[in-house]
């Protein structure tokens, strides 16, 4: 297998390298790295070899590449999709550019892996980070009883804004400790000691695009009429996202059923022993692969409702890992 | 009026002093300060005079005191309620000790001020901080149509844990910047760069006491069968609490009606111009009196639902200010 990473120097690009290094069974015969003019020429180690980042250009560099893992922003994905896929390369794209296109599957391997086999444009879209971790959890409940409604409030880390956003948050605390005015560039306002109820741009219904992704992408991935009302909030955490979720199902689900479903579902780790102070928290889940679920309770407003808390690493399961898992599923199931 | 502050050295006690200094119309002829052995002997300035903190003891120190504003923890409130009230002093108590007692009114002046007039034990309870700011906002909607259900996820600041908890959060960032291991004493886990879905102790239904306060206190204050399902989360913010709220009303409420109701309700400031990046944030609302509401949207899962975002200073409206406003209402309405 010849694999390419596009956007190799970014936070997700670097995580692609880490994950491919970790997953020794992933069959990489050759790895190519691509990036912008800023990152071209940089070198990164992969399985003991130094690989130089090539400049992403409109040429035939992708000839012979089996899978391109792309994370270079929506406009780059749109501009280079034809260049990347024209010789048969499968593009697994982390941007939001193609997610809602009818002829582009939107895939979370624990939920709808078969959709990956029908990619007429040789593009598969990786969902939004907040949606990925939520649908992994929702899918466990959906198998018990159809979910009609979801309310979700997010606690999203700086990593969703990329490597520079994470550096800015860290720098803000350094500046505050030094008695200096914190620098604000990557977020709308100072994030240190603050929470910001605004991620991505606002749409006509006053939800943000991030919140509408949770509505639209969840429906597409789950093939469902599920309705999701989200409030997406940036919090001063480095890299894992947390979500407070309420679901309403067609029939009542007991706590015991829900715990059993979460604990036996692929990709989920149940962390729910409140008396022992066991519940997922982003600080301790950063860098880990699974989606963690805890704080499972009955919804006190609704017999058919459940409340729970869900945490996952935004750069891993929320981005790079999910894309690599899509590639792994395709490699396994195309043979 | 002779006023006493009990727990004068704590975060809320200090805020009582600030607020009474600010509110020049509040008729204080004499101010007494009380505290534990640790704080007795400390001196604080009030309207130009130095006042020494007296040791809280079982004696007749409260004779002649009209109103005692108490914030010294539930066990101290229980132990000293008789001592404080026995000569006719009205005790406005910030602890959770008496809140659900049938013969103790639980009051938010914007919502149920008249309840304050019926206090047979001469004790009025100040509600939990997260509940106060929420019911001020809910009350504006309730006047339009009865609220049946509420889902609320909180983003609670360190100030809820008191002055030492705030100091611990600040110190954790100083330690992290210095490359040291952060000290954890006041919270269950490191709060810097983290969020912790656990405030107060867990109850039998796996909700925390903090979450059940939002259920029970809201019903008592609003004289309503309203059902509240809350997830309470500590975030690394210094002193204002934020809440992501969904309400379901008996009839559909339009965005315009909701905006009008919030903007004309006592104690609420509407901050809702998403296109101008205008929405409430805790960093900028710390130290302010009102409850701020923004991000008003239709609930995408329910025609009778609304979503909004609510921020208020936990030590001001969430504690000391609400208690002082109760005192002011009583002074005005007893004449």
């Amino acid at each position: 297998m010849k694999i390419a990473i596009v956007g190799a120097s970014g936070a997700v690009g670097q995580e692609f390298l880490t994950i491919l290094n970790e997953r020794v069974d992933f069959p990489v015969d050759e790895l190519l790295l691509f990036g912008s003019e800023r990152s071209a020429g940089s070198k990164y180690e992969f399985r003991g070899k130094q690989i130089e980042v090539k400049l992403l250009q409109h040429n035939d560099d992708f000839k012979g590449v089996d899978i391109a893992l792309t994370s270079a922003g929506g406009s780059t994905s749109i501009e280079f999709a034809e260049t990347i896929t024209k010789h048969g390369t499968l593009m697994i794209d982390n941007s939001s550019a193609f997610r809602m296109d009818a002829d582009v599957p939107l895939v979370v391997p624990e939920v709808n892996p078969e959709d990956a086999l029908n990619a007429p444009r040789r593009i598969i879209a990786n969902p939004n980070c907040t949606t990925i971790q939520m649908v992994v959890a929702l899918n466990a409940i959906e198998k018990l009883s159809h979910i009609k409604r979801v309310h979700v409030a997010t606690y999203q880390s700086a990593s969703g804004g990329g490597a520079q956003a994470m550096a800015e948050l860290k720098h803000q605390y350094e500046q505050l400790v030094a008695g200096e005015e914190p620098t604000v560039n990557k977020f709308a306002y100072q994030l240190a000691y603050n929470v910001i109820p605004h991620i991505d741009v606002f749409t006509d219904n006053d939800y943000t695009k991030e919140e509408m992704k949770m509505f639209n992408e969840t429906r597409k991935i789950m093939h469902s009429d599920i309705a999701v009302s989200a409030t997406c909030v940036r919090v001063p955490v480095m890299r894992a996202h947390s979500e407070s979720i309420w679901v309403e199902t067609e029939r009542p689900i007991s706590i015991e059923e829900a715990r059993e479903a979460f604990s036996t579902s692929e990709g989920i780790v149940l962390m729910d022993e409140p008396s022992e102070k066991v519940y997922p928290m982003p600080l301790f889940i950063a860098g880990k692969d699974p989606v963690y679920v805890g704080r499972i309770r009955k919804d006190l407003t609704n017999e058919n409702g459940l409340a729970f808390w869900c945490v996952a690493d935004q750069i891993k399961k929320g981005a790079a890992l999910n894309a690599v898992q899509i590639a792994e599923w395709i490699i396994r199931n195309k043979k």
Side-chain angles (χ1 to χ4, degrees), chain A:
Chain A
M1 297 285 293
K2 197 169 169 180
I3 306 290
I5 297 173
V6 179
S9 298
V12 175
Q14 289 292 300
E15 199 66 29
F16 278 135
L17 268 169
T18 304
I19 292 169
L20 292 180
N21 262 317
E22 280 171 6
R23 295 169 95 84
V24 290
D25 292 339
F26 192 100
V28 185
D29 300 309
E30 189 180 349
L31 181 69
L32 301 178
L33 304 180
F34 292 93
S36 64
E37 284 186 358
R38 214 180 45 205
S39 83
S42 310
K43 285 183 180 176
Y44 297 104
E45 192 176 309
F46 176 68
R47 297 188 185 171
K49 270 190 240 170
Q50 291 290 316
I51 304 178
E52 187 170 318
V53 178
K54 299 178 82 165
L55 181 64
L56 181 66
Q57 294 179 86
H58 291 293
N59 57 21
D60 291 326
D61 277 352
F62 287 86
K63 202 165 181 176
V65 171
D66 295 287
I67 295 174
L69 302 163
T70 61
S71 184
S75 55
T76 302
S77 289
I78 290 169
E79 187 187 340
F80 285 91
E82 171 65 17
T83 296
I84 291 169
T85 60
K86 67 182 174 185
H87 299 293
T89 302
L90 179 70
M91 175 176 174
I92 303 179
D93 183 46
N94 195 53
S95 83
S96 63
F98 305 110
R99 286 182 192 151
M100 296 311 295
D101 291 5
D103 53 0
V104 172
L106 183 67
V107 177
V108 175
E110 292 88 340
V111 181
N112 63 333
E114 301 79 9
D115 288 357
L117 298 176
N118 183 22
R121 287 162 66 186
R122 290 190 291 278
I123 302 172
I124 296 173
N126 206 37
N128 186 47
C129 49
T130 51
T131 306
I132 292 175
Q133 70 182 78
M134 182 174 76
V135 297
V136 168
L138 294 185
N139 193 51
I141 302 298
E142 178 74 17
K143 285 179 189 161
L144 298 175
S145 174
H146 175 53
I147 299 171
K148 298 195 298 183
R149 298 171 181 176
V150 174
H151 291 105
V152 53
T154 72
Y155 302 67
Q156 294 181 232
S157 61
S159 61
Q164 289 176 335
M166 295 165 77
E168 175 165 309
L169 176 62
K170 187 161 176 272
H171 189 50
Q172 287 181 350
Y173 282 113
E174 288 163 355
Q175 291 173 308
L176 287 165
V177 167
E180 296 163 15
E181 192 66 24
T183 308
V184 177
N185 279 318
K186 300 297 289 181
F187 299 109
Y189 297 93
Q190 177 185 324
L191 183 58
Y193 291 123
N194 197 17
V195 306
I196 307 174
H198 173 191
I199 299 176
D200 209 333
V201 298
F202 284 96
T203 69
D204 286 346
N205 65 2
D206 289 343
Y207 281 80
T208 60
K209 263 196 183 175
E210 184 83 357
E211 290 160 354
M212 292 312 297
K213 287 172 194 167
M214 296 189 83
F215 182 93
N216 293 309
E217 294 184 17
T218 301
R219 289 187 164 207
K220 180 166 175 176
I221 297 162
M222 296 184 76
H223 301 274
S224 164
D225 61 352
I226 187 169
V228 177
S229 183
T231 301
C232 289
V233 181
R234 189 75 70 192
V235 297
V237 163
M238 230 12 123
R239 58 177 280 172
H241 288 358
S242 308
E243 300 178 352
S244 180
I245 298 174
W246 288 265
V247 299
E248 180 181 329
T249 48
E250 280 188 343
R251 69 163 177 89
I253 306 287
S254 70
I255 304 292
E256 294 68 31
E257 276 181 288
R259 288 212 173 109
E260 174 71 14
F262 286 130
S263 63
T264 56
S265 287
E266 197 193 331
I268 298 177
V269 171
L270 182 69
M271 281 187 82
D272 193 20
E273 294 171 66
S275 61
E276 304 294 318
K277 296 188 191 173
V278 173
Y279 34 73
M281 283 175 287
L283 181 66
F284 306 110
I285 275 161
K288 295 202 159 56
D289 285 358
V291 172
Y292 291 80
V293 173
R295 298 290 334 265
I296 303 164
R297 291 152 290 155
K298 289 295 285 186
D299 181 341
L300 296 178
T301 80
N302 183 355
E303 181 53 30
N304 285 17
L306 277 178
F308 59 91
W309 173 254
C310 168
V311 184
D313 187 295
Q314 182 273 325
I315 314 182
K316 283 214 137 176
K317 185 58 184 169
L321 176 65
N322 194 72
V324 171
Q325 288 171 327
I326 293 171
E328 287 176 337
W329 192 92
I330 290 169
I331 293 166
R332 268 200 315 274
N333 288 275
K334 273 202 162 167
K335 276 173 189 166

